[in-house]
Amino acid sequence: MPDAVLRHGDNELTLPSHVGTEGETAIDIGNLRSSLGLVTVDRGFANTAEGTSSVTYINGEEGILRYRGYPIDQLAEHASFLEVSYLLQYGDLPANDELAAYEEEITRHTLLREDVKHLFEAFPHSAHPMQILASATSALATYYPDALDPLDEEAVDISARRLIAKTPTMIAWSYKYRVHQPYVYPDNDLDYASNFLKMMFAVPAEDFIANPVVTRTLNMLLILHADHGQNCSSSAVRLVGSGQANIFSSVAAGIHALSGPLHGGANQSVLEMLTRIVESGDTIDTVIKRAKDKDDPFRLMGFGHRVYKNFDPRAQILKKAAEDVLKALGVDDPLLDLAMELEDIALSDEYFVERKLYPNVDFYSGIIYRAMGFSTDMFTVLFAMGRLPGWIAQWRELSSDPDTKIFRPRQLYTGPAERPFIARDDR
Ligand code: CMC
């Protein structure tokens, strides 16, 4: 691949290029400032790769998503979430005995220290589960001070397993606290998804067996959310990790980043938007008109993506799953019909076509979560539970790379030039 040549005034600089596995080319500007005194501006890092990554490949033009080379549709159909978690972190699908050992280890760490209960109870019952999850994840670090060194591979491994094991417990307990029900302890005879469903929905007074359709669907949803390259929350995890903060603090930062409505919080916003449309009696035309109006901050939630400019392969899988799962569960949800109608109309509208705005992963996931029995404010923590192995894989990749540098972007200063201080009474 030829190098690039940058001309600036009378100066010329040769910039090396690098080619990725799939033929993508990147121009390395690492010497730009030291050679020519220049920096680059790139809003939202739309054109900037911080470094290299071998975890997930996304081709937004062709709607391709692969974890460690494996197509997302194949993983969603055939793998278990813990298998995918192993794949993301260790680079290859586990052999039978490796998977059994991994599952056993995760199962052994599902309990939370009893003291952690007090943490949940310090929150108002109305607290959003994402805030509680971020705080509880951060608090976990205080229980395991001996396993926090990001450069100690063994410590990282055990912390990663603790995180994967305890996150469902933290999420379920935050829900139980919210709905004034007793906490349900993990059941280590169950698989990851069934155990989580039991902790969420069981009550001591009754037996609980998770519906297999719900268990299978949860497994698939977690896999579809498990990684997505350098998205906002994974970049947050990497950024915090680049300062050698411990893995719990780094993941807590990712949870906060995910909570925003432009990122993972969109799944909650989509459902709220659909509900509002039904309740207000607005027509779809009115909604589309508002989404296109530049003077109106309203956006069609669950539409558009920085990377996908053709279709989001996760949304395609979820659209089909929404129909199948609702049918299998005998749920007739008018919001599904509304979502499909909205999608059809948006996809044939010039505004959305021109801007290549398609439904993203969050457009249909909420309708499925709702049919499975989850309340709307739990949707984003479910996204977090799915994304966790991806965050950990990204963090581990960064922390173990000898070429990693602390993230420290440059800026183009546009504030006042130097001026003398003026005493208080003279201003
Ligand atoms: N409704 C209406 N217009 C939109 C939408 C939308 N959902 N998304 C983008 N646009 C317009 C935007 O106004 C802009 O128009 P113009 O060129 O005339 O100024 C153009 O499309 C490009 O949008 P952008 O904001 O520059 O694109 P971006 O890559 O910076 O943002 C996005 C991507 C996902 C934040 C954005 O599409 C959005 O806000 N979508 C709604 C929220 C959402 O569904 N988020 C979930 C994202 S996928 C899962 C995840 O990351 O968690």
Side-chain angles (χ1 to χ4, degrees):
M1 189 52 63
D3 292 335
V5 178
L6 179 91
R7 209 164 292 122
H8 183 259
D10 295 336
N11 297 316
E12 204 172 272
L13 179 68
T14 301
L15 301 167
S17 45
H18 307 295
V19 182
T21 320
E22 298 289 339
E24 289 170 307
T25 305
I27 294 165
D28 190 335
I29 57 153
N31 291 331
L32 186 58
R33 190 169 181 280
S34 57
S35 306
L36 299 185
L38 300 173
V39 298
T40 53
V41 176
D42 182 19
R43 291 284 160 140
F45 308 117
N47 295 282
T48 298
E50 185 280 323
T52 58
S53 178
S54 58
V55 182
T56 286
Y57 173 66
I58 307 173
N59 180 326
E61 280 67 39
E62 291 178 31
I64 297 173
L65 169 61
R66 297 186 202 129
Y67 301 159
R68 303 281 189 187
Y70 295 101
I72 188 65
D73 53 325
Q74 294 179 22
L75 291 169
E77 190 174 345
H78 302 295
S80 74
F81 178 61
L82 286 188
E83 221 171 342
V84 169
S85 170
Y86 186 103
L87 169 71
L88 286 169
Q89 286 178 65
Y90 302 106
D92 279 311
L93 282 170
N96 247 331
D97 56 335
E98 287 169 328
L99 180 60
Y102 185 61
E103 287 169 340
E104 152 89 30
E105 278 245 15
I106 297 292
T107 303
R108 237 184 317 126
H109 290 289
T110 48
L111 263 182
L112 294 174
R113 299 276 179 93
E114 281 296 290
D115 314 358
V116 181
K117 278 182 183 168
H118 302 307
L119 182 74
F120 293 97
E121 284 150 17
F123 286 95
H125 285 281
S126 59
H128 195 285
M130 280 297 270
Q131 298 299 141
I132 301 183
L133 181 64
S135 307
T137 301
S138 194
L140 278 187
T142 64
Y143 292 89
Y144 307 107
D146 298 341
L148 298 182
D149 181 355
L151 305 177
D152 176 344
E153 220 175 293
E154 216 175 298
V156 168
D157 215 45
I158 181 80
S159 295
R161 284 163 201 238
R162 283 179 173 136
L163 269 167
I164 302 272
K166 292 178 198 303
T167 295
T169 316
M170 294 192 289
I171 291 175
W173 283 15
S174 72
Y175 175 71
K176 286 298 188 192
Y177 175 67
R178 189 172 177 67
V179 294
H180 302 265
Q181 286 183 3
Y183 302 120
V184 175
Y185 284 88
D187 180 342
N188 289 351
D189 289 333
L190 297 177
D191 64 79
Y192 195 80
S194 307
N195 174 50
F196 173 65
L197 292 168
K198 183 173 174 188
M199 290 191 291
M200 277 290 301
F201 297 120
V203 287
E206 289 170 17
D207 289 338
F208 177 87
I209 298 177
N211 181 332
V213 174
V214 175
T215 308
R216 253 198 325 275
T217 308
L218 179 61
N219 183 64
M220 176 204 62
L221 281 158
L222 293 174
I223 291 173
L224 289 182
H225 287 87
D227 194 52
H228 211 235
Q230 308 312 307
N231 56 89
C232 173
S233 56
S234 302
S235 299
V237 169
R238 288 177 75 116
L239 184 139
V240 173
S242 78
Q244 294 187 355
N246 70 65
I247 192 167
F248 297 101
S249 304
S250 306
V251 167
I255 295 169
H256 283 301
L258 186 73
S259 68
L262 296 190
H263 192 12
N267 58 11
Q268 174 172 342
S269 304
V270 169
L271 211 97
E272 288 167 351
M273 173 186 79
L274 295 173
T275 309
R276 255 195 324 271
I277 296 173
V278 170
E279 285 174 359
S280 66
D282 276 350
T283 62
I284 293 186
D285 280 350
T286 315
V287 174
I288 299 275
K289 228 180 250 152
R290 280 195 65 197
K292 298 194 295 190
D293 181 356
K294 293 291 167 205
D295 295 326
D296 188 332
F298 174 78
R299 281 189 165 200
L300 198 54
M301 298 314 285
F303 256 74
H305 198 278
R306 170 64 60 77
V307 180
Y308 293 119
K309 298 300 170 198
N310 185 338
F311 63 92
D312 178 339
R314 304 165 301 174
Q316 273 195 333
I317 297 172
L318 286 176
K319 180 180 182 182
K320 168 95 182 50
E323 289 182 271
D324 294 348
V325 171
L326 267 63
K327 199 160 153 210
L329 295 175
V331 174
D332 181 17
D333 190 343
L335 294 192
L336 178 60
D337 300 328
L338 174 63
M340 287 185 168
E341 216 181 314
L342 199 54
E343 177 187 343
D344 280 349
I345 294 179
L347 290 185
S348 57
D349 188 290
E350 204 184 4
Y351 174 95
F352 290 87
V353 174
E354 254 178 23
R355 290 168 180 77
K356 301 190 167 131
L357 302 171
Y358 293 85
N360 57 51
V361 68
D362 296 316
F363 194 65
Y364 284 106
S365 61
I367 291 171
I368 306 179
Y369 289 137
R370 180 166 129 116
M372 292 160 74
F374 291 104
S375 56
T376 311
D377 56 12
M378 294 300 288
F379 294 177
T380 315
V381 273
L382 293 167
F383 190 153
M385 189 168 138
R387 184 55 54 88
L388 182 60
W391 286 332
I392 295 172
Q394 298 281 348
W395 186 92
R396 296 182 83 162
E397 177 176 64
L398 182 104
S399 304
S400 60
D401 182 347
D403 292 333
T404 289
K405 282 177 175 294
I406 188 167
F407 287 20
R408 206 303 176 194
R410 290 282 173 180
Q411 64 173 14
L412 188 61
Y413 175 72
T414 56
E418 184 180 352
R419 46 186 174 165
F421 178 77
I422 303 167
R424 190 172 168 171
D425 292 340
D426 298 336
R427 279 174 229 158

